[in-house]
Amino acid sequence: MIKFDEDRSRFPEKNPDGTNIIDLESGRFTHLWQGPVHPGITGNMSLELIVQGDEVMSCKTHVGYLHRGFEKLMERRRFIQCLPICVRICVPEPDFNEYCLCATVEELAGVEVPDAGQWMRTLLLEMARLQGYLMWLGGISGALGMGIIGQWTNYGRDLILDRFEEITGGRVYHMHMMPGGVRSMTPDGFNQRMEENLREISEILKDVHKTMIENTVFRTRTVGTGYIDPLMVNKYGITGPNARAAGILRDVRIEYPYLRYGELDFEPYLGKDSDIFTRTLVRYNDTLTSVDLIRQIMSKMPSKGPFMADMPNMLHFKIPRGETYIRAECSRGEFGYYTVTDGSGYPRRINARGPSYTHGVSLIEKLGINANIADVAALMVSLHIYPPEIER
Amino acid sequence: MKTLLTNLKKRHDITASKLQRNNELFVTVPNNQAVSLVTYLRDHEGFSHLVILSAVDWLEEEVFQLTYLLNNPELKQDIGVRTLVDRNEPVMESIHHLWEHSATYQRELFEMFGISFPTSPRMEEPFILEGWDGPPPYRRDFDTLKYAEETYFPRPGRTTNDVAAYMKEKLYPEDDND
């Protein structure tokens, strides 16, 4: 049997400031690109790795493959024209963009959304979170060699997309929220069909628990890997499930209840080990919470009533000079829009803050170092990075 | 939030302030006091989470507005520290020593607005616009349409039609009345 030298204290050699000494000329290092196209990430992003043996010595994020300049485009559009643009900032989970933009316009213009409209928005956001988590469960299982689980969860996601199609007419991009409310309430018989889907998704989630979370291979590879120190949470701007896995409650739904979340009964799962396995558990339990929340919303939501406030003609709508920040909890963490208006019909500046901006650049560059090269894909997925929201 | 504002007024020259919501406050400070105010808020007032670092181009007033949006997770409060930077010489002190991810924001602001943060790590490395050699594109005086027309058009085989004339030609070619 081959024995390796277990004393790693002198390997690799370090600079006085603790960084690894990397000399590509020495022939001891390999320069490697992970990405930009690989199944671990929804979108295109690459990690530039320098490895020695199977250990990563340096990790740098490269984005820009998807830059479409949306923030600049929106400065030249009226607020209503921004809606079809803003949803594309985060491709797999676009509803949070709609909500943040609409809530910004409403706050700055002083519009009150009717009760039914608020409930409808809560339902849409929770459905978006559920389908985002189902997609993620497929991602983490795929990154660790269990591709079939991804096919089950993506089937569950498709069921939710069917319900989205039924309400809004679109599967991925919905644009169902408008400044002032929503376009419509749920169609007849929606609750029953949704309940059937939720039952089916719960069955899938039970199978996922048996085959993935209780799987020895999965546990061996993820327990203890990709540890995030709780002290790093504020220093690196970590939010959402990644912070909750470290035992720190960061959930906008609880901390800053928006829409109708204050009237719902739920408690997010808090982990403590802060490794890939705990992050998986947090997201798995959040998926179950999400299923429960959709049931609660459907039982409490009024089926009738006004869902849209009286709004002036949006094409001639002007918003006085001001600025605000609106946040919402998406499946990856805190999602927010910082908007500045200047009194014209156009926004002066809209800056979208996606959680991937901090997780996908500064955090992964730190966590990637000294990771095993086989764990890099799982590490990337476990942080739940969507590159489109880094570059907008 | 009012106590906080009174507190801050004793230490820094707050030139303007606005309470946007009951837990969201925006204050404006002179350029040279912004970083000390942000440091004070982080270390003594519990604003430990940097939510966003953003810039706004006020072209008419010849300034960039920088906004440091901080969040206090204990008291659930937000504060936006605004400061103005001269548009003709946009240089600002870096805050990368306070939050690791602020270096990423500063890298983006240098690339998109041309605001320089000396000492910020890897600031001059391209972030999103690899291979870009034009002016910083998020400035208000950069016209995207004009740039695209000059750089990418006319492509061979691509034509632009007047919408009304084209519809008339395709749909109602015999109809002479407008």
Side-chain angles (χ1 to χ4, degrees), chain A residues 8-24 26 28-29 48-60 364-372:
Chain A
R8 311 270 288 177
S9 56
R10 284 175 52 233
F11 172 84
E13 285 153 23
K14 306 254 185 211
N15 286 317
D17 62 349
T19 52
N20 296 327
I21 298 178
I22 293 166
D23 178 15
L24 283 177
S26 69
R28 298 168 67 196
F29 298 91
E48 184 187 359
L49 306 172
I50 292 173
V51 294
Q52 186 169 30
D54 59 0
E55 191 173 344
V56 177
M57 296 287 118
S58 143
C59 173
K60 278 184 186 177
I364 200 163
E365 285 181 356
K366 166 87 177 159
L367 293 184
I369 292 175
N370 294 1
N372 189 299

Short mmCIF file of all heavy atoms in Angstrom, two decimals, chain A residues 8-24 26 28-29 48-60 364-372:
data_model
loop_
_atom_site.label_atom_id
_atom_site.label_comp_id
_atom_site.label_asym_id
_atom_site.label_seq_id
_atom_site.Cartn_x
_atom_site.Cartn_y
_atom_site.Cartn_z
N ARG A 8 1.86 17.87 6.54
CA ARG A 8 1.62 18.83 5.47
C ARG A 8 2.07 20.23 5.88
O ARG A 8 1.77 21.18 5.20
CB ARG A 8 0.12 18.87 5.15
CG ARG A 8 -0.48 17.50 4.96
CD ARG A 8 -0.42 17.06 3.55
NE ARG A 8 -1.37 17.81 2.74
CZ ARG A 8 -1.47 17.65 1.42
NH1 ARG A 8 -0.66 16.81 0.82
NH2 ARG A 8 -2.33 18.33 0.74
N SER A 9 2.75 20.35 7.04
CA SER A 9 3.01 21.69 7.55
C SER A 9 3.97 22.46 6.64
O SER A 9 3.92 23.67 6.58
CB SER A 9 3.58 21.61 8.96
OG SER A 9 4.74 20.80 8.95
N ARG A 10 4.84 21.72 5.91
CA ARG A 10 5.79 22.43 5.06
C ARG A 10 5.33 22.42 3.60
O ARG A 10 6.07 22.76 2.70
CB ARG A 10 7.17 21.80 5.18
CG ARG A 10 7.85 22.20 6.48
CD ARG A 10 9.17 21.49 6.67
NE ARG A 10 10.05 21.63 5.52
CZ ARG A 10 10.62 20.59 4.89
NH1 ARG A 10 10.38 19.37 5.31
NH2 ARG A 10 11.42 20.77 3.87
N PHE A 11 4.07 22.01 3.39
CA PHE A 11 3.61 21.88 2.03
C PHE A 11 2.28 22.57 1.85
O PHE A 11 1.35 22.28 2.61
CB PHE A 11 3.43 20.40 1.70
CG PHE A 11 2.78 20.17 0.38
CD1 PHE A 11 3.53 20.17 -0.78
CD2 PHE A 11 1.41 19.96 0.29
CE1 PHE A 11 2.92 19.96 -1.99
CE2 PHE A 11 0.80 19.75 -0.92
CZ PHE A 11 1.56 19.74 -2.07
N PRO A 12 2.11 23.48 0.95
CA PRO A 12 3.15 24.05 0.10
C PRO A 12 3.92 25.10 0.88
O PRO A 12 3.49 25.53 1.93
CB PRO A 12 2.33 24.68 -1.01
CG PRO A 12 1.06 25.07 -0.35
CD PRO A 12 0.80 24.06 0.71
N GLU A 13 5.03 25.53 0.31
CA GLU A 13 5.80 26.56 1.00
C GLU A 13 5.02 27.87 0.98
O GLU A 13 4.32 28.17 0.04
CB GLU A 13 7.17 26.72 0.33
CG GLU A 13 8.08 25.56 0.69
CD GLU A 13 9.13 25.29 -0.37
OE1 GLU A 13 9.44 26.23 -1.13
OE2 GLU A 13 9.62 24.15 -0.44
N LYS A 14 5.18 28.64 2.06
CA LYS A 14 4.35 29.83 2.22
C LYS A 14 5.19 31.11 2.17
O LYS A 14 6.36 31.12 2.56
CB LYS A 14 3.64 29.80 3.58
CG LYS A 14 2.85 28.55 3.84
CD LYS A 14 1.38 28.79 3.72
CE LYS A 14 0.60 27.55 4.09
NZ LYS A 14 -0.63 27.42 3.38
N ASN A 15 4.53 32.18 1.74
CA ASN A 15 5.09 33.52 1.88
C ASN A 15 4.98 33.94 3.34
O ASN A 15 4.21 33.34 4.10
CB ASN A 15 4.29 34.50 1.02
CG ASN A 15 4.59 34.32 -0.46
OD1 ASN A 15 5.73 34.15 -0.85
ND2 ASN A 15 3.55 34.33 -1.26
N PRO A 16 5.72 34.99 3.75
CA PRO A 16 5.59 35.44 5.15
C PRO A 16 4.16 35.81 5.52
O PRO A 16 3.73 35.67 6.66
CB PRO A 16 6.50 36.66 5.22
CG PRO A 16 7.46 36.51 4.09
CD PRO A 16 6.78 35.70 3.04
N ASP A 17 3.33 36.28 4.55
CA ASP A 17 1.96 36.67 4.89
C ASP A 17 0.98 35.50 4.85
O ASP A 17 -0.22 35.68 4.98
CB ASP A 17 1.48 37.80 3.97
CG ASP A 17 1.45 37.36 2.51
OD1 ASP A 17 1.98 36.28 2.22
OD2 ASP A 17 0.91 38.10 1.68
N GLY A 18 1.48 34.28 4.69
CA GLY A 18 0.61 33.11 4.77
C GLY A 18 0.06 32.62 3.45
O GLY A 18 -0.60 31.59 3.39
N THR A 19 0.29 33.38 2.36
CA THR A 19 -0.20 32.92 1.06
C THR A 19 0.75 31.88 0.47
O THR A 19 1.94 31.85 0.82
CB THR A 19 -0.35 34.10 0.08
OG1 THR A 19 0.90 34.81 0.07
CG2 THR A 19 -1.45 35.04 0.50
N ASN A 20 0.24 31.03 -0.39
CA ASN A 20 1.06 29.98 -0.97
C ASN A 20 2.04 30.55 -2.00
O ASN A 20 1.70 31.45 -2.75
CB ASN A 20 0.17 28.96 -1.68
CG ASN A 20 -0.74 28.25 -0.70
OD1 ASN A 20 -0.36 28.04 0.44
ND2 ASN A 20 -1.93 27.90 -1.14
N ILE A 21 3.25 30.00 -2.02
CA ILE A 21 4.22 30.41 -3.04
C ILE A 21 3.91 29.62 -4.31
O ILE A 21 3.88 28.39 -4.30
CB ILE A 21 5.67 30.12 -2.58
CG1 ILE A 21 5.98 30.93 -1.33
CG2 ILE A 21 6.66 30.39 -3.70
CD1 ILE A 21 7.36 30.68 -0.77
N ILE A 22 3.62 30.35 -5.38
CA ILE A 22 3.28 29.66 -6.62
C ILE A 22 4.29 30.07 -7.69
O ILE A 22 4.42 31.24 -8.01
CB ILE A 22 1.85 30.02 -7.06
CG1 ILE A 22 0.87 29.43 -6.05
CG2 ILE A 22 1.56 29.47 -8.46
CD1 ILE A 22 -0.50 29.97 -6.18
N ASP A 23 5.01 29.11 -8.21
CA ASP A 23 5.97 29.37 -9.27
C ASP A 23 5.62 28.43 -10.43
O ASP A 23 5.98 27.26 -10.40
CB ASP A 23 7.39 29.12 -8.73
CG ASP A 23 8.43 29.34 -9.81
OD1 ASP A 23 8.07 29.94 -10.85
OD2 ASP A 23 9.58 28.90 -9.62
N LEU A 24 4.91 28.98 -11.40
CA LEU A 24 4.44 28.13 -12.50
C LEU A 24 5.59 27.56 -13.32
O LEU A 24 5.48 26.50 -13.93
CB LEU A 24 3.49 28.92 -13.40
CG LEU A 24 2.07 29.14 -12.87
CD1 LEU A 24 1.29 30.00 -13.83
CD2 LEU A 24 1.35 27.82 -12.67
N SER A 26 8.27 26.31 -12.24
CA SER A 26 8.96 25.19 -11.59
C SER A 26 8.48 23.83 -12.08
O SER A 26 9.12 22.82 -11.82
CB SER A 26 8.74 25.28 -10.08
OG SER A 26 7.38 25.01 -9.78
N ARG A 28 5.95 22.27 -11.00
CA ARG A 28 5.26 21.53 -9.94
C ARG A 28 3.78 21.87 -9.88
O ARG A 28 3.04 21.31 -9.08
CB ARG A 28 5.90 21.83 -8.58
CG ARG A 28 7.34 21.40 -8.49
CD ARG A 28 8.00 21.98 -7.28
NE ARG A 28 7.46 21.42 -6.05
CZ ARG A 28 7.65 21.97 -4.86
NH1 ARG A 28 8.33 23.09 -4.75
NH2 ARG A 28 7.16 21.42 -3.78
N PHE A 29 3.38 22.85 -10.68
CA PHE A 29 1.98 23.31 -10.61
C PHE A 29 1.29 23.10 -11.95
O PHE A 29 1.94 23.11 -12.99
CB PHE A 29 1.92 24.80 -10.26
CG PHE A 29 2.51 25.12 -8.93
CD1 PHE A 29 3.86 25.46 -8.81
CD2 PHE A 29 1.74 25.09 -7.78
CE1 PHE A 29 4.41 25.75 -7.58
CE2 PHE A 29 2.28 25.38 -6.55
CZ PHE A 29 3.63 25.71 -6.45
N GLU A 48 -10.42 29.85 -12.19
CA GLU A 48 -9.06 29.62 -12.66
C GLU A 48 -8.29 29.02 -11.49
O GLU A 48 -8.05 29.69 -10.49
CB GLU A 48 -8.45 30.96 -13.09
CG GLU A 48 -7.08 30.84 -13.68
CD GLU A 48 -6.45 32.20 -13.93
OE1 GLU A 48 -7.10 33.22 -13.67
OE2 GLU A 48 -5.31 32.22 -14.39
N LEU A 49 -7.94 27.76 -11.64
CA LEU A 49 -7.30 27.06 -10.53
C LEU A 49 -5.84 26.81 -10.83
O LEU A 49 -5.48 26.51 -11.97
CB LEU A 49 -7.97 25.70 -10.28
CG LEU A 49 -9.49 25.68 -10.06
CD1 LEU A 49 -9.97 24.25 -10.03
CD2 LEU A 49 -9.84 26.38 -8.79
N ILE A 50 -5.03 26.91 -9.80
CA ILE A 50 -3.66 26.43 -9.92
C ILE A 50 -3.53 25.31 -8.91
O ILE A 50 -3.79 25.50 -7.71
CB ILE A 50 -2.65 27.56 -9.66
CG1 ILE A 50 -2.75 28.55 -10.82
CG2 ILE A 50 -1.24 27.01 -9.56
CD1 ILE A 50 -1.96 29.78 -10.66
N VAL A 51 -3.21 24.11 -9.40
CA VAL A 51 -3.21 22.96 -8.52
C VAL A 51 -1.82 22.36 -8.42
O VAL A 51 -1.01 22.43 -9.35
CB VAL A 51 -4.20 21.87 -9.00
CG1 VAL A 51 -5.61 22.37 -8.92
CG2 VAL A 51 -3.90 21.43 -10.41
N GLN A 52 -1.55 21.79 -7.26
CA GLN A 52 -0.33 21.02 -7.08
C GLN A 52 -0.78 19.64 -6.62
O GLN A 52 -1.41 19.51 -5.58
CB GLN A 52 0.56 21.67 -6.02
CG GLN A 52 1.90 20.97 -5.91
CD GLN A 52 2.88 21.75 -5.07
OE1 GLN A 52 2.49 22.44 -4.15
NE2 GLN A 52 4.15 21.59 -5.36
N GLY A 53 -0.47 18.63 -7.40
CA GLY A 53 -1.07 17.33 -7.11
C GLY A 53 -2.56 17.46 -7.29
O GLY A 53 -3.03 17.91 -8.32
N ASP A 54 -3.33 17.09 -6.25
CA ASP A 54 -4.77 17.26 -6.35
C ASP A 54 -5.27 18.37 -5.44
O ASP A 54 -6.44 18.44 -5.13
CB ASP A 54 -5.49 15.94 -6.04
CG ASP A 54 -5.17 15.42 -4.66
OD1 ASP A 54 -4.38 16.09 -3.96
OD2 ASP A 54 -5.70 14.38 -4.27
N GLU A 55 -4.36 19.24 -5.01
CA GLU A 55 -4.75 20.27 -4.06
C GLU A 55 -4.72 21.64 -4.74
O GLU A 55 -3.77 21.97 -5.45
CB GLU A 55 -3.78 20.23 -2.89
CG GLU A 55 -4.24 21.08 -1.74
CD GLU A 55 -3.36 20.90 -0.52
OE1 GLU A 55 -2.60 19.91 -0.48
OE2 GLU A 55 -3.43 21.74 0.37
N VAL A 56 -5.77 22.42 -4.50
CA VAL A 56 -5.86 23.73 -5.14
C VAL A 56 -5.01 24.73 -4.36
O VAL A 56 -5.12 24.84 -3.14
CB VAL A 56 -7.34 24.20 -5.16
CG1 VAL A 56 -7.44 25.59 -5.76
CG2 VAL A 56 -8.18 23.22 -5.94
N MET A 57 -4.14 25.43 -5.11
CA MET A 57 -3.24 26.39 -4.47
C MET A 57 -3.78 27.81 -4.61
O MET A 57 -3.55 28.66 -3.77
CB MET A 57 -1.86 26.36 -5.14
CG MET A 57 -1.14 25.07 -5.00
SD MET A 57 -0.54 24.88 -3.34
CE MET A 57 -1.43 23.44 -2.85
N SER A 58 -4.46 28.07 -5.73
CA SER A 58 -4.97 29.42 -5.95
C SER A 58 -6.25 29.30 -6.75
O SER A 58 -6.38 28.43 -7.60
CB SER A 58 -3.92 30.24 -6.69
OG SER A 58 -4.51 31.09 -7.62
N CYS A 59 -7.21 30.14 -6.45
CA CYS A 59 -8.52 30.06 -7.08
C CYS A 59 -8.99 31.48 -7.38
O CYS A 59 -8.98 32.34 -6.50
CB CYS A 59 -9.47 29.37 -6.09
SG CYS A 59 -11.17 29.34 -6.59
N LYS A 60 -9.33 31.72 -8.64
CA LYS A 60 -9.82 33.05 -9.02
C LYS A 60 -11.09 32.88 -9.83
O LYS A 60 -11.16 32.04 -10.72
CB LYS A 60 -8.79 33.77 -9.89
CG LYS A 60 -7.70 34.44 -9.12
CD LYS A 60 -6.81 35.20 -10.08
CE LYS A 60 -5.60 35.76 -9.34
NZ LYS A 60 -4.70 36.44 -10.28
N ILE A 364 -15.78 32.16 -2.55
CA ILE A 364 -15.27 30.92 -3.15
C ILE A 364 -13.77 31.01 -3.40
O ILE A 364 -13.05 30.01 -3.33
CB ILE A 364 -16.05 30.53 -4.42
CG1 ILE A 364 -15.81 29.04 -4.69
CG2 ILE A 364 -15.69 31.35 -5.61
CD1 ILE A 364 -16.75 28.41 -5.60
N GLU A 365 -13.27 32.23 -3.64
CA GLU A 365 -11.83 32.38 -3.82
C GLU A 365 -11.08 32.03 -2.53
O GLU A 365 -9.95 31.59 -2.56
CB GLU A 365 -11.50 33.81 -4.26
CG GLU A 365 -11.86 34.06 -5.72
CD GLU A 365 -11.53 35.44 -6.20
OE1 GLU A 365 -11.09 36.27 -5.40
OE2 GLU A 365 -11.73 35.70 -7.41
N LYS A 366 -11.75 32.25 -1.41
CA LYS A 366 -11.13 31.91 -0.13
C LYS A 366 -11.30 30.41 0.17
O LYS A 366 -10.34 29.73 0.57
CB LYS A 366 -11.82 32.75 0.96
CG LYS A 366 -11.56 32.33 2.36
CD LYS A 366 -10.32 32.96 2.90
CE LYS A 366 -10.10 32.58 4.35
NZ LYS A 366 -8.73 32.74 4.75
N LEU A 367 -12.52 29.89 -0.05
CA LEU A 367 -12.78 28.48 0.30
C LEU A 367 -12.07 27.51 -0.64
O LEU A 367 -11.76 26.39 -0.26
CB LEU A 367 -14.28 28.19 0.26
CG LEU A 367 -15.17 28.85 1.29
CD1 LEU A 367 -16.59 28.36 1.13
CD2 LEU A 367 -14.69 28.56 2.69
N GLY A 368 -11.85 27.96 -1.88
CA GLY A 368 -11.26 27.06 -2.86
C GLY A 368 -9.84 26.66 -2.51
O GLY A 368 -9.39 25.56 -2.83
N ILE A 369 -9.11 27.55 -1.83
CA ILE A 369 -7.70 27.28 -1.54
C ILE A 369 -7.57 26.10 -0.58
O ILE A 369 -8.29 26.01 0.41
CB ILE A 369 -7.03 28.55 -0.99
CG1 ILE A 369 -6.98 29.58 -2.11
CG2 ILE A 369 -5.64 28.26 -0.48
CD1 ILE A 369 -6.47 30.90 -1.71
N ASN A 370 -6.66 25.20 -0.93
CA ASN A 370 -6.40 23.96 -0.18
C ASN A 370 -7.53 22.94 -0.25
O ASN A 370 -7.53 21.96 0.48
CB ASN A 370 -6.05 24.23 1.29
CG ASN A 370 -4.74 24.97 1.42
OD1 ASN A 370 -4.11 25.29 0.40
ND2 ASN A 370 -4.32 25.23 2.62
N ALA A 371 -8.51 23.18 -1.12
CA ALA A 371 -9.54 22.16 -1.32
C ALA A 371 -9.00 21.09 -2.25
O ALA A 371 -8.07 21.33 -3.01
CB ALA A 371 -10.79 22.79 -1.92
N ASN A 372 -9.61 19.93 -2.19
CA ASN A 372 -9.23 18.89 -3.13
C ASN A 372 -9.90 19.18 -4.46
O ASN A 372 -11.03 19.66 -4.49
CB ASN A 372 -9.72 17.54 -2.58
CG ASN A 372 -9.18 16.39 -3.37
OD1 ASN A 372 -9.44 16.28 -4.56
ND2 ASN A 372 -8.41 15.54 -2.73
#
